[in-house]
């Protein structure tokens, strides 16, 4: 397999629903994450990316008392942990989501 094809397979965009399935999250969390991602992108006037999807899933899980680490979310989306951290903070700030810590 050529290197470019292998890289494309590794960089395939993972959906929120696919990633949520690896954690056995409920459909409620998936719907919440989708709503967070869509609302953020609309307010910020940007396109959805896997970074936004990952951070939205992290926030949705947290808000629904189903904690998962940023590292685990990052692995599910094949992105870096600092990317999840950066984007969840941006999303929370724009949408006015408060975390208890």
């Amino acid at each position: 397999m050529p290197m470019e094809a292998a890289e494309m397979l590794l960089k395939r965009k993972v959906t929120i629903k696919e990633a949520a399935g690896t954690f056995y999250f409920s459909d409620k969390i998936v719907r919440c994450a989708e709503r967070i991602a869509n609302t953020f992108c609309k307010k910020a006037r940007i396109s959805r990316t896997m970074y936004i999807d990952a951070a939205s899933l992290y926030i949705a899980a947290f808000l629904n008392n189903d904690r998962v680490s940023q590292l685990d979310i990052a692995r599910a989306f094949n992105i870096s942990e600092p990317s999840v951290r950066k984007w969840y903070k941006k999303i929370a700030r724009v949408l006015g989501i408060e975390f208890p810590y």
Side-chain angles (χ1 to χ4, degrees):
M1 178 181 297
M3 185 58 126
E4 290 175 11
E7 287 175 6
M8 292 289 286
L9 283 175
L10 289 176
K11 292 292 183 183
R12 183 183 77 76
K13 186 173 183 204
V14 177
T15 66
I16 288 175
K17 188 168 182 90
E18 288 171 340
T22 63
F23 302 108
Y24 303 103
F25 286 155
S26 67
D27 287 339
K28 178 183 175 186
I29 292 176
V30 172
R31 286 190 306 273
C32 182
E34 290 283 349
R35 193 169 43 254
I36 290 168
N38 289 333
T39 304
F40 171 74
C41 289
K42 193 174 197 179
K43 276 191 166 188
R45 296 181 181 191
I46 59 174
S47 299
R48 266 179 68 171
T49 65
M50 67 180 144
Y51 302 103
I52 293 169
D53 287 352
S56 297
L57 184 58
Y58 176 75
I59 293 169
F62 186 91
L63 294 176
N64 286 280
N65 297 317
D66 204 343
R67 298 287 307 263
V68 64
S69 72
Q70 293 172 9
L71 180 59
D72 289 338
I73 291 285
R75 286 180 178 157
F77 281 89
N78 198 26
I79 61 175
S80 70
E81 183 181 9
S83 293
V84 175
R85 187 170 26 262
K86 173 181 126 180
W87 281 100
Y88 104 80
K89 288 178 181 179
K90 282 184 183 184
I91 292 169
R93 187 178 64 246
V94 168
L95 298 183
I97 298 171
E98 302 260 340
F99 292 93
Y101 53 86

